[in-house]
Structure formats: C-alpha cells, structure tokens
Amino acid sequence: MDAGSAKRNGVALTEKQRIAWLRLIRSDNVGPSTFRDLINHYGSAEAALAMLPELSQRGGSTRAVRIADERDALRELEAAHRFGARFVGIGEPDFPPALREIDGAPPLLAVKGNMPTATRPAIGMVGSRNASISGAKFTAMIARTCGEAGYAVVSGLARGIDTAAHRASLATGTIAAMAGGLDQPYPPENIGLLSDIWDGNGLAVSEMPFGWEPRARDFPRRNRLIAGISLGVVVVEAATRSGSLITARLAGEFGRLVFAVPGSPLDPRCEGTNGLLKDGAMIVTAPDDVVEALRPLAEPDLFRPRPAVPPAEKSNPLSTPPDDAERDHIVDALGPTPVEIDDIVRHTGLPISAVHSVLLELDMAGRLHRHPGGLVSISMLD
C-alpha cells in the first residue's frame, strides 16, 4: 500500500474563522455535536456566538451562559504557536480523514509533530498498563509490521501496551492521542517518549485546551480519538474493566474492525481480550493477521473528504424561532428517556427546523443530554 496516496482535500479556515471556532467550542454547554448543529443552523461560528445568550434563556436557564472571550482564544492560539503546535479544523486538509466521519467528531484538534502522519490510514493499539513481557513484545511486533505496511499506529501514551506500540512505530509513524492539553502529558514518565514522537515521524493530538490537566473522565474522550482516527483497533491484554474495552466498544460503534490477542484464561489481564473474542472480535495470532484484514479498508478514497461541519461557512438567514406553544409542545414530548429526533418531529408534527431550534435552546441551557446513535433526552425542571 502507498502510505502517501491518501488525498489531502479540504478547505482551510481563515484566521478569523479559526478564532470564532475556538471561542465557540470553548463556550459553556457547547460540545462537538452542539457545535455542528449551531454552525449548520446559523451558518457561521460568529452568528452562533451571538445567539448563545438568547438560546440559553429560551431553554430555561436562569444563569448567563459563559461565552469564551476573543482574547482567551487569541491567548490559546498564541500558546499553541509558542509550543510549536497549531489547531486543525474538521474540514481542513490535515484533519484525520477517518475521524471526521464519526458522530460528534471534534471540530478542532490541537496537533504537534509530523502533519502528514495525520492523513495516513491508521491502526489503533491499546491494552494493559501493567503489561507482561510477552504482551509488550507481541505489541511491538504488530506495530512494526503495520508501520512497515504503511499504517500509522495510534495509541494513548499510557504505560505498558501503549508505550510498546508507540516505541515500535517511532520510525514509521505514530499518533499519540492525549487526554489533557498537549502541554500536559500523562503519565510523566512518558514525557521523553512524547518528545521522540513529535520530533520524529509522529504526531500528538488533543481536543482539550492548553493547560488542561487530564482527569479520569477525560480518558474516555481520548479513547474516542484513538477509535475514530483508526481503521481498526487491536487490544492486547485488557482486564474486564479497562479503558481498552471502552476503546474497543467505540471502535465497534464507529464501524471499525476490532481485533483481540488471545491470552491465558489464568491471567486477569486477558479476561477482557478473551471476552472480546467471544463477542466476535477478530483473533490475532500473528502481526500479518492485522495487515491482511486492514488491506481492503486502506483504499485512498475510502474516507472521501466530507466535512461534518462546512469550513467554508455560509451566511444563513436566521430562521424565526418557534413560538411558545410550539416550544412547549416539543419540550412536553421529551423526557428522561432517550428518543430519536425524527420521532420528535413525527410526534409533534412540527418542522424539523423548529425541533432543532428548541433542542439547541435546551442544549445551551444545560438541559439536553445527547446519547449514542443521535438520541436525546432532557432534564426535567423542578
């Protein structure tokens, strides 16, 4: 496979757009899915920013929504520049092509290192932090084989299996997905490895702000990046309750291949991987097993550039918000049980634009909950 054959299409953001995008994603109650809906509804990040206070108020919030200040966005952009990093938007040429296809893809990634690595087909590798010698050795064998076949190896910079995967693919290209800001690596003992990654053929990526210290709840987001960037995920030595199984589950939800290396039934580190095999994961007993399974997925046009959020923002005329009766009808149709948006439209008989408008209001008020598969529910007011 020609590792450089992937097409690098896309449209670059202007600096004005990049600042507005950064402000929007850093504002309260704006996650990746909300960001996309706001851009699609209002046509640009600037227009969306102007509407946030009104949306929050109409959604029932009694507190003013915090909107990221332009000066804060400029400071973060300057911090990235000083650090040797930059922000890449979802529709730009250097954004990982497989990642832009997932639901709720991050609109902006902070990146540092060898940018061509971002657009290569990739394989994720995760596993136990307390890896065995044989587990780390077999991980390195798979990583080297995949790297020599033209794949970037994606992992989470953790101890054990992650470290073995990164080190074995330093020469061919590796991507470190981080739970905190690019300037807040974890664990501390892998700071040297991270430097080797971005000073060589590798790349570090994060969707978190500079200065953000990783917390426990940030690691599933990191796992989501690993699964989203990759065509498939290999799990080596994972206990029954582990972040590696979260990565495998997300990979399955994204339509990626899930591989597992079998282990001894007597080793607790292998309970999770053996369980994946029972659930239908692809067995890996040799590094070529992964390369052969990935081959049909590595065609250059598999992930054609189809930005989830148009980077070339357009000026949309602002639609008239729903009236109070329509808003009440939509809110009454919702509850703590997740439902599909299409079902809300059918149940209420109202235009989809009105439904989306009310959902944005609830979202900005902090009352909307988004679930896998595009389902939504709301918190009921006291």
Side-chain angles (χ1 to χ4, degrees), residues 29-352:
N29 299 332
V30 180
S33 295
T34 308
F35 181 100
R36 178 201 61 210
D37 290 347
L38 285 166
I39 294 280
N40 288 342
H41 197 76
Y42 293 108
S44 73
E46 286 187 314
L49 285 164
M51 291 299 300
L52 294 188
E54 183 178 336
L55 288 170
S56 176
Q57 186 178 27
R58 292 204 307 250
S61 177
T62 57
R63 296 184 301 173
V65 63
R66 184 195 63 83
I67 301 173
D69 189 85
E70 183 174 347
R71 289 170 297 182
D72 293 333
L74 287 170
R75 277 193 288 268
E76 189 170 359
L77 288 171
E78 290 167 2
H81 179 73
R82 289 194 303 270
F83 196 70
R86 65 189 181 94
F87 288 93
V88 178
I90 192 171
E92 295 192 285
D94 288 330
F95 197 91
L99 182 62
R100 67 161 60 103
E101 298 295 323
I102 70 171
D103 288 337
L108 284 173
L109 279 180
V111 297
K112 180 178 179 178
N114 183 47
M115 288 310 305
T117 304
T119 54
R120 289 169 52 191
I123 178 69
M125 296 194 68
V126 294
S128 174
R129 288 174 172 81
N130 182 31
S132 68
I133 294 173
S134 59
K137 184 176 180 179
F138 193 55
T139 297
M141 291 170 60
I142 298 172
R144 277 193 294 269
T145 299
C146 289
E148 290 165 359
Y151 297 93
V153 173
V154 190
S155 199
L157 201 69
R159 304 178 186 94
I161 297 301
D162 289 22
T163 296
H166 285 308
R167 289 199 180 281
S169 54
L170 281 173
T172 54
T174 188
I175 299 175
M178 298 176 61
L182 287 184
D183 58 344
Q184 298 292 326
Y186 182 86
E189 59 261 39
N190 273 350
I191 292 176
L193 172 59
L194 182 59
S195 295
D196 291 340
I197 289 171
W198 60 41
D199 289 341
N201 290 326
L203 185 72
V205 302
S206 172
E207 59 181 308
M208 305 306 287
F210 274 80
W212 186 274
E213 295 185 8
R215 304 161 298 177
R217 67 182 185 184
D218 297 322
F219 286 91
R221 295 182 67 166
R222 185 272 317 264
N223 297 342
R224 175 171 148 270
L225 287 179
I226 297 171
I229 293 171
S230 306
L231 299 177
V233 171
V234 182
V235 185
V236 185
E237 293 185 344
T240 302
R241 291 179 176 272
S242 70
S244 299
L245 297 188
I246 295 175
T247 309
R249 175 180 58 78
L250 290 168
E253 291 176 359
F254 297 157
R256 310 303 197 239
L257 297 180
V258 178
F259 303 89
V261 176
S264 169
L266 301 178
D267 189 342
R269 289 172 295 198
C270 299
E271 289 179 358
T273 46
N274 291 341
L276 287 174
L277 292 170
K278 289 180 181 179
D279 292 337
M282 302 181 73
I283 189 169
V284 179
T285 57
D288 284 340
D289 292 341
V290 179
V291 174
E292 289 303 314
L294 288 175
R295 198 180 305 279
L297 302 180
E299 295 299 323
D301 290 336
L302 178 66
F303 291 106
R304 291 182 175 87
R306 183 175 56 79
V309 179
E313 297 176 346
K314 54 186 183 297
S315 178
N316 283 353
L318 298 184
S319 58
T320 303
D323 60 32
D324 289 343
E326 292 173 328
R327 184 176 292 107
D328 290 344
H329 192 23
I330 293 168
V331 172
D332 288 343
L334 293 165
T337 302
V339 296
E340 295 183 2
I341 294 175
D342 286 348
D343 287 339
I344 303 171
V345 173
R346 282 191 289 266
H347 178 81
T348 61
L350 294 172
I352 192 168

